[in-house]
Amino acid sequence: MSETEEHELLRQTVRQFTATRVEPQAMEHDESGTFNTKLLIELGKLGLIGITVPEGDGGANLDATASVIVHEELSYSDPGFALGYLAHALLFVNNFYWAGNPSQRRKYLPKVLTGEVIGCMGMTEPSVGTDVLGLQTTARKTGGGDYVLNGRKTFITNGPESGIALIYAKLDNRITTFVVEKAFPGFSVSPKIPKVGMRASTMSELIFEDCVVPAENLLGTEGGGITNMMRNLEIERLGLAAMSIGMARRCVDVMVKYATERQTFGKSLADHGQIQRYIGDSYAKLEAMRALTYNVAATVGPHHRNRLGTDAAKLFASTAAKEIADAAIQVLGGYGYCSEYRVEQFWRDAKLIEIGGGTLEAHQKNITRDLTAQR
Ligand SMILES: Cc1cc2nc3c(=O)[nH]c(=O)nc-3n(C[C@H](O)[C@H](O)[C@H](O)COP(=O)(O)OP(=O)(O)OC[C@H]3O[C@@H](n4cnc5c(N)ncnc54)[C@H](O)[C@@H]3O)c2cc1C
């Protein structure tokens, strides 16, 4: 692990912010199914939205490890809010920055770095998720050089609140990236899609019906979408693995405290061997997911890829977090199944990481493909 003094300072700052600003609002937003957009603006003021953007362009100029730290810390209190942050800061801002040109950065960055304009990323479609290269949204070039988008994206985090979207569409059958403002004619959004967990973030469909996108909103090159997509998926997988660490750490803390205080059969729960197994196994998994994720994060950057490592980190961390949340519910018994201690929420939230940003099966498939290709 290569955590520097700067990383440690960042962790302290985000931990303090999480305890004082994120924790108090978390349950309310889980219950109401709303994303706290004002809190996102507070993260913008702390410089955490442009965490991976160079200083000269208004960012914090930090690395993938820093991004992992922020996602871990926020998820200790509010994984749903952290998911909305991830969709904005990584799926939109980071992706946009590294694919965009100076004039696009000048135009859009100041608005999104403050969190006042919220971004989202549209890759998944109603008929195409894991098999993403088969996406069906089309882009057609007009005689004047503009583009016309047609198609539908689904499960898009921040869709309801976003003012701007990074969209993958096929131009002459080649995946190409566009920046699409909500105000562009022909762009509309469905009502919110209800979901089991991560309720403090929202999602919807994005609908494009002859949506005209100006020529200057092509992001990167025509046909260059796959490069943008694959580069950004790596840091996304790390952010999601980091969220799993935050959720798991919270669940371990809750179960240790509860097992120390709760008495059954004349002794504390922590003195029962079967409970020790839940706690001991959960702690070992937490330490393993932390070591793996931070080790991989140290190898990833805009110009350094580690597809195998990021797939492995998210594959392992997602399931470990879900198992740890499940163990926490078991240790707390009836209290675990009810909302007061919030472990049931972390269990619901943790499940998403086994699906979003790549399913378990997608990671297993990709890891095997890469390993067998090396033979
Ligand atoms: C809460 C939430 C937020 C999301 N946010 C976004 C977002 O912001 N932007 C975005 O673009 N997308 C987003 N997604 C979409 C997410 O990335 C997809 O759901 C995911 O990639 C899986 O695609 P799918 O749902 O179409 O499942 P499918 O691809 O239809 O897969 C269904 C099942 O079949 C399995 N499967 C598929 N192919 C294979 C295979 N070759 N071998 C073995 N098994 C296979 C899958 O693993 C899965 O278990 C979000 C999803 C959720 C639930």
Side-chain angles (χ1 to χ4, degrees):
M1 277 198 245
S2 70
E3 277 198 56
T4 61
E5 239 173 68
E6 198 175 25
H7 289 136
E8 189 43 43
L9 202 62
L10 173 71
R11 189 182 291 284
Q12 281 168 20
T13 305
V14 186
R15 191 166 288 192
Q16 167 79 7
F17 178 80
T18 301
T20 55
R21 303 292 304 146
V22 182
E23 180 72 25
Q25 55 79 63
M27 267 181 99
E28 182 194 326
H29 283 271
D30 178 60
E31 280 161 16
S32 63
T34 52
F35 180 48
N36 191 339
T37 53
K38 291 197 176 113
L39 199 60
L40 186 72
I41 292 174
E42 290 187 42
L43 282 186
K45 287 189 181 132
L46 285 176
L48 297 178
I49 290 178
I51 191 140
T52 54
V53 171
E55 222 162 352
D57 286 302
N61 201 30
L62 292 170
D63 55 9
T65 301
S67 168
V68 163
I69 289 170
V70 178
H71 285 88
E72 178 193 335
E73 293 301 327
L74 292 176
S75 298
Y76 185 86
S77 283
D78 194 342
F81 175 73
L83 185 69
Y85 164 75
L86 178 145
H88 179 62
L90 292 185
L91 306 194
F92 185 85
V93 174
N94 182 73
N95 203 347
F96 167 81
Y97 183 82
W98 295 105
N101 62 40
S103 120
Q104 291 168 332
R105 290 169 181 165
R106 270 194 304 278
K107 179 167 180 193
Y108 288 118
L109 270 182
K111 298 174 195 171
V112 292
L113 288 181
T114 62
E116 271 150 36
V117 173
I118 297 176
C120 66
M121 183 279 296
M123 187 169 71
T124 308
E125 300 182 353
S127 310
V128 181
T130 305
D131 191 12
V132 65
L133 301 188
L135 65 83
Q136 294 166 2
T137 298
T138 58
R140 177 173 53 82
K141 200 166 182 169
T142 65
D146 294 340
Y147 301 92
V148 179
L149 263 55
N150 276 290
R152 222 175 170 90
K153 300 288 177 183
T154 195
F155 305 143
I156 307 307
T157 302
N158 293 349
E161 295 84 8
S162 63
I164 192 160
L166 188 149
I167 298 298
Y168 295 106
K170 276 191 181 154
L171 176 72
D172 297 329
N173 222 19
R174 296 180 307 156
I175 295 180
T176 304
T177 320
F178 299 92
V179 182
V180 189
E181 294 180 32
K182 197 66 129 327
F184 288 173
F187 182 8
S188 61
V189 168
S190 76
K192 279 184 199 172
I193 303 172
K195 52 194 160 110
V196 66
M198 295 293 184
R199 291 188 186 167
S201 65
T202 64
M203 67 184 189
S204 68
E205 289 195 339
L206 309 180
I207 302 150
F208 302 96
E209 292 165 310
D210 288 331
C211 173
V212 179
V213 178
E216 63 265 23
N217 281 37
L218 165 73
L219 202 59
T221 57
E222 292 183 352
I226 293 183
T227 310
N228 304 337
M229 186 190 281
M230 295 306 157
R231 177 180 50 215
N232 214 68
L233 276 170
E234 295 202 359
I235 196 158
E236 175 183 1
R237 288 195 283 268
L238 282 174
L240 291 164
M243 288 177 60
S244 301
I245 301 174
M247 290 187 258
R249 181 159 59 82
R250 174 63 170 260
C251 289
V252 169
D253 284 356
V254 172
M255 75 173 110
V256 168
K257 185 166 189 295
Y258 190 86
T260 312
E261 291 167 357
R262 177 80 167 179
Q263 301 274 320
T264 66
F265 297 91
K267 53 185 182 180
S268 74
L269 278 184
D271 290 330
H272 295 294
Q274 285 161 301
I275 298 297
Q276 290 166 1
R277 184 168 181 182
Y278 284 121
I279 294 172
D281 287 358
S282 296
Y283 180 73
K285 284 177 196 162
L286 171 60
E287 289 303 295
M289 64 208 276
R290 188 199 304 283
L292 173 57
T293 304
Y294 279 92
N295 269 334
V296 173
T299 68
V300 170
H303 311 295
H304 305 280
R305 306 276 302 271
N306 186 349
R307 189 169 62 180
L308 200 48
T310 55
D311 266 311
K314 181 167 169 288
L315 173 63
F316 181 74
S318 55
T319 301
K322 190 191 68 180
E323 290 169 355
I324 293 168
D326 193 73
I329 293 179
Q330 203 62 25
V331 168
L332 271 70
Y335 287 103
Y337 197 72
C338 298
S339 54
E340 181 185 349
Y341 289 86
R342 297 189 58 213
V343 287
E344 59 81 29
Q345 184 205 325
F346 284 86
W347 184 60
R348 290 187 276 111
D349 291 349
K351 177 62 194 170
L352 180 266
I353 316 291
E354 292 191 335
I355 297 169
T359 60
L360 297 179
E361 295 74 20
H363 302 315
Q364 289 157 347
K365 175 171 73 60
N366 294 343
I367 288 170
T368 307
R369 184 195 52 208
D370 285 3
L371 290 178
T372 51
Q374 289 168 9
R375 299 245 145 213

